[in-house]
């Protein structure tokens, strides 16, 4: 979740949603995202809305955060009821950050319990928390599993010490397999996150990280190309020439290697940057985002989406807590994207999925581009014959280009 809030209209203090948000809601899934904005240190590449203890200032505290975000969950139920949005039990919950597991496991379970009390959670729901390998223990993972969590996503990033140093990740690579083993012992599904393209990372380094991750036999792997965000410490280091810049060709070579090795190990790609050990281990929460479901984002800077309306909370934990304590919406701004923006986002998201999107959803100009994209080996010909756009591996590398072509930009 990037730290810079978008522009938009002011969000109302009562949080009420326009009547249009209720239309068709009974047919849409409902999820919860809970933002935990705390980190032990700020990594040099990170642009997320996170804070170390020294950055919190007065008026906010890790020790009271679970109670505060629980109040927003209660507020959410009231807003949706008063706005006429039909009640739905929750399909998926995702605790992200930051480092959610910096909070005691009992706090995370308490927040999940508040969601259950206010909304209900569907049987078989997916409940995920992100975690750093050095922020969990055998006992904390067991507490999470006993409290209803079903899945944990570990921020591994790399198995190579000098790469982790550039990223300013603080965990010992040897801690990852131990954390994975504890999670499995607790009965949790396991995902690991990797980052490729770090300045100074060789292809051999990247292979080492992939092979290490695969040796832990996770149910799911996410592999993201490093993006240098303005305002980060790493961006400043590159600008000063202290570390080399990233390289698109290097990213492409590393993506191809990852896809090859993941597939050989039995992991199937289902989204450009995500692979799972069968459909049952794909991240259902993220799929809900990509397919346009509804979700409420709780916490400072968290984003929400219901019936096409998007809104986002105030950014700093102190400002967030002040709003919550005052009984008013923590929302900062909101927007109804126009038809062109909706079509752009829908095309961008659905074409990243292995299930693809229906060619019939495109305007006529986009449909005429399909044959050329097949000829360029960016779209799978067999899927196109069946009426769907599914990217080839080359297409995944050039996904943004595909979208521009399909929307005739």
């Amino acid at each position: 979740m990037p730290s810079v809030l978008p522009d938009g209209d002011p969000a109302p203090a009562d949080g009420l949603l326009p009547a249009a948000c209720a239309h068709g809601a009974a047919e849409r899934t409902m999820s919860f995202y809970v933002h935990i904005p705390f980190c032990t240190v700020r990594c040099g590449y990170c642009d997320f809305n996170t804070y170390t203890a020294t950055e919190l200032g007065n008026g906010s505290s890790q020790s009271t955060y679970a109670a505060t975000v629980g109040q927003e969950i209660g507020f959410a139920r009231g807003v949706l009821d008063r706005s006429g949005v039909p009640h739905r039990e929750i399909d998926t919950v995702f605790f992200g950050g930051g480092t959610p597991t910096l909070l005691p496991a009992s706090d995370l379970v308490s927040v999940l319990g508040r969601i259950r009390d206010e909304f209900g959670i569907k049987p078989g729901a997916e409940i995920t928390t992100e975690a750093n390998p050095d922020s969990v223990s055998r006992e904390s993972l067991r507490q999470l599993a006993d409290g209803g969590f079903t899945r944990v996503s570990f921020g591994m990033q790399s198995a190579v010490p000098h790469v982790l140093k550039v990223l300013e990740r603080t965990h010992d690579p040897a801690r990852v397999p131990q954390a994975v083993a504890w999670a499995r012992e607790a009965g949790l599904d396991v995902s690991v996150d990797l980052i490729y393209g770090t300045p100074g990372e060789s292809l051999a380094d990247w292979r080492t990280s992939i092979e290490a991750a695969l040796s832990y036999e996770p149910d799911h792997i996410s592999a993201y190309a490093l993006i240098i965000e303005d305002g980060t410490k790493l961006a400043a280091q590159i600008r000063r020439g202290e570390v080399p810049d990233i390289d698109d060709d290097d990213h492409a070579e590393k993506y191809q290697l990852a896809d090859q090795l993941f597939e050989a190990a039995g992991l199937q790609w289902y989204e450009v940057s995500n692979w799972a050990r069968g459909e049952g281990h794909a991240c259902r929460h993220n799929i809900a985002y990509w397919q346009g479901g509804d979700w409420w984002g709780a916490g400072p800077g968290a984003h929400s989406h219901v019936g096409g309306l998007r809104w986002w909370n105030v950014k700093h934990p102190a400002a967030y807590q002040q709003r919550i304590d005052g009984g008013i919406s923590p929302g900062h701004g909101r927007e109804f994207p126009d038809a062109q923006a909706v079509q752009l986002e829908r095309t961008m998201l659905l074409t990243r999925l292995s299930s693809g999107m229906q060619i019939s959803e495109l305007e006529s100009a986009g449909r005429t581009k399909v044959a050329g994209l097949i000829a360029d080996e960016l779209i799978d010909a067999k899927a196109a014959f069946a009426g769907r756009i599914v990217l080839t591996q080359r297409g995944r590398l050039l996904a943004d280009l595909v979208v521009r072509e399909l929307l005739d930009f």
Side-chain angles (χ1 to χ4, degrees):
M1 188 179 66
S3 62
V4 177
L5 297 178
D7 295 327
D9 298 323
D14 60 11
L16 292 182
L17 311 182
C21 294
H23 296 165
E27 285 72 53
R28 299 191 299 268
T29 60
M30 183 69 188
S31 297
F32 245 93
Y33 171 76
V34 181
H35 188 61
I36 311 295
F38 310 118
C39 283
T40 303
V41 298
R42 180 182 292 278
C43 299
Y45 66 92
C46 182
D47 185 43
F48 286 4
N49 187 39
T50 62
Y51 302 84
T52 64
T54 59
E55 294 171 320
L56 283 175
N58 296 325
S60 62
S61 167
Q62 290 187 30
S63 63
T64 60
Y65 186 75
T68 302
V69 80
Q71 288 179 263
E72 186 186 354
I73 293 164
F75 180 83
R77 178 61 195 269
V79 165
L80 293 173
D81 287 347
R82 294 194 305 275
S83 300
V85 179
H87 175 68
R88 290 160 290 170
E89 291 187 320
I90 303 302
D91 283 81
T92 67
V93 183
F94 195 100
F95 287 70
T99 307
T101 44
L102 279 184
L103 295 186
S106 57
D107 280 4
L108 300 182
V109 170
S110 172
V111 173
L112 179 60
R114 185 67 186 265
I115 296 172
R116 184 182 293 110
D117 292 344
E118 297 288 352
F119 289 86
I121 293 177
K122 282 187 177 180
E126 176 193 90
I127 316 294
T128 303
T129 185
E130 294 180 330
N132 283 350
D134 57 358
S135 67
V136 297
S137 65
R138 174 184 275 117
E139 178 56 31
S140 70
L141 289 167
R142 189 180 302 278
Q143 282 184 265
L144 292 173
D146 290 346
F149 284 77
T150 65
R151 187 173 179 274
V152 61
S153 180
F154 288 115
M156 175 181 169
Q157 318 312 1
S158 176
V160 179
H162 79 83
V163 175
L164 290 171
K165 184 176 180 180
V166 172
L167 294 173
E168 295 190 289
R169 300 290 292 185
T170 58
H171 69 269
D172 181 347
R175 177 77 170 189
V176 180
Q178 184 180 52
V180 170
W182 288 338
R184 289 215 175 281
E185 183 182 292
L188 296 166
D189 261 29
V190 174
S191 178
V192 296
D193 287 357
L194 298 174
I195 290 177
Y196 60 89
T198 300
E201 179 191 58
S202 67
L203 190 63
D205 291 334
W206 176 230
R207 179 184 285 273
T208 295
S209 294
I210 293 171
E211 291 177 345
L214 290 173
S215 73
Y216 312 146
E217 299 185 345
D219 304 295
H220 183 281
I221 293 180
S222 298
Y224 300 108
L226 179 65
I227 297 174
I228 306 300
E229 302 287 358
D230 290 340
T232 61
K233 180 178 177 180
L234 187 54
Q237 289 174 317
I238 290 173
R239 188 171 58 251
R240 294 192 297 263
E242 296 170 5
V243 296
D245 203 348
I246 58 174
D247 178 81
D248 290 343
D249 290 337
D250 175 66
H251 278 181
E253 187 175 16
K254 287 173 178 171
Y255 182 90
Q256 290 171 323
L257 177 63
D259 192 41
Q260 172 191 336
L261 295 180
F262 294 157
E263 183 177 346
L267 293 160
Q268 303 164 0
W269 83 272
Y270 69 94
E271 192 274 341
V272 167
S273 300
N274 291 274
W275 292 257
R277 203 172 295 282
E279 184 177 340
H281 295 292
C283 180
R284 288 158 46 196
H285 185 84
N286 284 342
I287 290 173
Y289 289 159
W290 297 323
Q291 293 184 338
D294 289 348
W295 74 89
W296 190 289
H303 288 229
S304 301
H305 169 261
V306 175
L309 179 73
R310 304 179 185 281
W311 70 93
W312 44 93
N313 286 348
V314 292
K315 179 180 169 182
H316 197 278
Y320 170 77
Q321 182 153 355
Q322 185 178 25
R323 295 277 190 102
I324 295 295
D325 289 345
I328 62 175
S329 170
H332 174 77
R334 69 184 194 181
E335 64 180 2
F336 259 124
D338 62 24
Q340 183 180 26
V342 170
Q343 179 66 6
L344 167 61
E345 182 175 280
R346 182 168 175 79
T347 304
M348 179 182 70
L349 295 177
L350 289 183
T351 54
R352 291 177 65 89
L353 295 169
S354 62
S355 54
M357 74 176 292
Q358 296 296 317
I359 293 174
S360 59
E361 291 190 48
L362 297 169
E363 300 290 340
S364 59
R367 292 197 294 271
T368 63
K369 298 290 185 73
V370 170
L373 292 169
I374 292 171
D376 290 338
E377 299 182 345
L378 299 177
I379 288 178
D380 180 81
K382 184 177 179 181
F385 182 75
R388 289 185 301 124
I389 295 169
V390 175
L391 301 181
T392 62
Q393 185 193 72
R394 172 174 160 78
R396 283 180 265 156
L397 288 168
L398 299 171
D400 291 343
L401 172 64
V402 173
V403 171
R404 289 198 299 271
E405 288 291 305
L406 292 174
L407 295 180
D408 202 28
F409 284 173

